[in-house]
Amino acid sequence: MNIVIDDITARKFSSNYGSKNNAFGQPLGVKSIVIVTVREKSGLTRSAELYAGIYIPEVIPNLIDFISKNYIGITFNRKNIFNLIPIPFVTNSGIFKSIVGAIQSCIIQLYFHKNDISLVEGLAEQLISKSSKNNLSYYASGGSVAYDCEQCRLDASKIWLNNLDGFKMRCGYKSLEEDIERVEIVRKELNKKSKNGNKPFLMVDFIQGTLKNKFSPNDLNVYINSLKNYDILWFEEPLDPNKFFIYDEFQKNFKNKVNFALGESFTTINEYILYQNIIKYFQLDVTHCGGFSEAINILNYFSNNPFLKFTSHVWGSALAGLLNLSLARASNMISWFEIPIIEFDINEHLFNNEIINYKNISNSQIDKMLSEINLSDNSKYEFIYGSGYKI
């Protein structure tokens, strides 16, 4: 059954974020998001979140309005639901690519629903390496770069609540000595329990795409050597993700056998291809990389590479989580799923106070929650200008 696009809108929300509303990078004490919604002629709607909306929420709706003109009145069917509608040269990468991908992700949801196909099943049909069993691991994402040792330990202890497989913390903002202490106390917390004889995994995110003071290759080498005894699965964004030559320099000059993770900032398959001989864990975020369409292109391109693994990156609302989880469930190449553990009040509004357990939610429940998302106005979540991520 075909669908015809009738309208495309954008909504901005601001929400309390973290127990004390003082999370790193939130200058006004709230976190803001932008959600795009596509309506087809029957009145059915589906939505997608934009990762970029966390950073530039004031700008995104205007760009959505401009791009939407290419979609209104267009008919989509099985042959073209994964085809992005490009603007020459402009939508090949970057923020425009992200927006086009988000709109297309809404269209994909609409088409599968109208044809009684679950989102996970529909995405799997497009993948070369489909998920034959539920082999996905889940990690809690916390340990703010500004947290002290005890705050990091408390965050790490939360993995026991949902029986998660690992924990990711942020480093690189405090001094090396402080970061070593933070990592050590988290590793001790994780070592308290094991599952089937295996201790939970620890990942360290250096957030070099965010912090103003970037690591040099030598800085990174010192950090890695200082943390080598803490059994870290991967170092995420260990160097500026916009400078491939720095990663290349590090690989040539230092022989550390460690795993790097990178990709949350990427919006095109070409960026992944550039780093393929350096990165072991590629991050995918369907709210930024070009939506389901580009994410599937990326996964299929690397389907014959047995040494490369993918992880789902999540840093928005539960809407971003459910969209990324759908792809992770569909693909056999995505090995880890990220679960943010900082409280984000807007989730209660969007999903009518339902508690989302990413590890145990069924595929049919994912579809149900995506179909019932609450985007109504609420003064509690009214957008606050100037609330984009800043440090």
Side-chain angles (χ1 to χ4, degrees):
M1 186 181 300
N2 296 344
I3 60 172
V4 180
I5 306 307
D6 184 57
D7 189 36
I8 300 176
T9 57
R11 291 174 175 83
K12 304 188 297 290
F13 297 94
S14 296
S15 168
N16 288 344
Y17 180 65
S19 59
K20 297 181 180 179
N21 295 326
N22 61 351
F24 186 78
Q26 311 305 141
L28 301 183
V30 295
K31 184 175 181 176
S32 293
I33 59 172
V34 178
I35 294 174
V36 60
T37 299
V38 176
R39 185 181 73 213
E40 64 108 17
K41 67 176 183 179
S42 71
L44 186 69
T45 64
R46 284 297 184 273
S47 300
E49 188 172 336
L50 287 126
Y51 170 85
I54 295 171
Y55 297 90
I56 48 173
E58 290 89 351
V59 175
I60 301 297
N62 292 331
L63 300 181
I64 291 173
D65 287 343
F66 180 81
I67 293 174
S68 295
K69 300 171 185 177
N70 295 320
Y71 287 84
I72 305 301
I74 301 298
T75 299
F76 287 89
N77 52 42
R78 172 72 74 165
K79 293 182 179 180
N80 68 351
I81 59 167
F82 285 92
N83 296 339
L84 302 177
I85 298 180
I87 300 173
F89 303 110
V90 176
T91 56
N92 294 337
S93 62
I95 187 60
F96 276 100
K97 175 68 169 293
S98 177
I99 292 172
V100 168
I103 292 172
Q104 204 74 24
S105 292
C106 295
I107 292 170
I108 289 167
Q109 293 179 69
L110 286 167
Y111 179 83
F112 287 143
H113 176 81
K114 292 275 288 199
N115 288 275
D116 295 321
I117 302 171
S118 76
L119 180 57
V120 173
E121 178 186 358
L123 296 174
E125 290 177 356
Q126 304 298 315
L127 290 164
I128 293 174
S129 183
K130 303 173 180 60
S131 181
S132 56
K133 59 182 180 179
N134 188 9
N135 59 353
L136 192 61
S137 296
Y138 299 79
Y139 71 91
S141 176
S144 169
V145 70
Y147 278 3
D148 61 25
C149 289
E150 180 59 14
Q151 288 173 306
C152 288
R153 188 195 67 77
L154 289 173
D155 258 8
S157 70
K158 295 176 183 178
I159 73 167
W160 316 127
L161 296 176
N162 295 307
N163 194 29
L164 301 180
D165 306 292
F167 176 75
K168 183 174 79 177
M169 63 183 295
R170 277 79 176 177
C171 291
Y173 177 68
K174 294 178 177 289
S175 69
L176 172 60
E177 292 73 22
E178 288 176 292
D179 276 341
I180 292 173
E181 291 179 5
R182 295 165 73 243
V183 171
E184 182 176 16
I185 199 168
V186 167
R187 181 73 266 177
K188 287 180 178 178
E189 178 66 28
L190 297 180
N191 287 350
K192 289 179 180 179
K193 294 186 180 180
S194 62
K195 184 170 61 175
N196 299 323
N198 297 315
K199 297 174 183 177
F201 289 90
L202 174 60
M203 303 81 157
V204 171
D205 185 353
F206 285 127
I207 61 170
Q208 292 296 291
T210 301
L211 296 177
K212 294 178 180 179
N213 296 323
K214 313 290 188 187
F215 284 174
S216 68
N218 186 64
D219 293 332
L220 177 60
N221 186 57
V222 171
Y223 253 90
I224 288 175
N225 285 325
S226 299
L227 299 175
K228 64 183 179 182
N229 295 325
Y230 298 105
D231 195 19
I232 296 167
L233 179 61
W234 74 62
F235 292 98
E236 189 170 317
E237 276 197 358
L239 296 164
D240 187 343
N242 297 316
K243 296 180 178 179
F244 168 78
F245 64 88
I246 296 182
Y247 284 84
D248 190 47
E249 178 185 341
F250 181 88
Q251 187 181 44
K252 290 176 179 177
N253 294 335
F254 301 102
K255 304 301 180 183
N256 291 294
K257 294 183 178 179
V258 294
N259 299 324
F260 287 162
L262 195 68
E264 73 173 83
S265 64
F266 294 172
T267 58
T268 169
I269 189 174
N270 293 332
E271 292 168 283
Y272 290 92
I273 293 173
L274 181 64
Y275 284 90
Q276 64 181 317
N277 294 321
I278 294 176
I279 303 303
K280 174 65 178 293
Y281 289 92
F282 268 144
Q283 296 172 291
L284 275 178
D285 190 332
V286 298
T287 71
H288 191 59
C289 74
F292 289 130
S293 298
E294 187 74 343
I296 288 171
N297 289 338
I298 294 165
L299 290 169
N300 284 344
Y301 179 88
F302 291 107
S303 61
N304 291 323
N305 187 333
F307 305 105
L308 186 64
K309 298 181 183 296
F310 284 85
T311 77
S312 287
H313 172 267
V314 180
W315 191 47
S317 73
L319 173 58
L322 291 173
L323 295 176
N324 278 292
L325 182 62
S326 299
L327 181 66
R329 291 272 182 88
S331 172
N332 201 42
M333 297 180 65
I334 299 177
S335 57
W336 284 95
F337 182 80
E338 179 174 16
I339 302 177
I341 57 176
I342 296 180
E343 295 177 4
F344 196 12
D345 286 1
I346 188 69
N347 288 334
E348 296 179 0
H349 175 68
L350 297 176
F351 295 100
N352 303 300
N353 296 311
E354 285 195 54
I355 297 175
I356 300 175
N357 187 322
Y358 292 104
K359 191 169 183 178
N360 296 318
I361 189 173
S362 68
N363 294 342
S364 61
Q365 286 175 314
I366 292 175
D367 289 340
K368 182 175 184 293
M369 297 193 77
L370 290 174
S371 70
E372 296 177 350
I373 188 169
N374 176 18
L375 298 175
S376 63
D377 293 332
N378 186 315
S379 59
K380 183 178 179 181
Y381 305 106
E382 184 176 353
F383 176 68
I384 300 174
Y385 282 86
S387 57
Y389 190 100
K390 296 181 183 68
I391 58 171

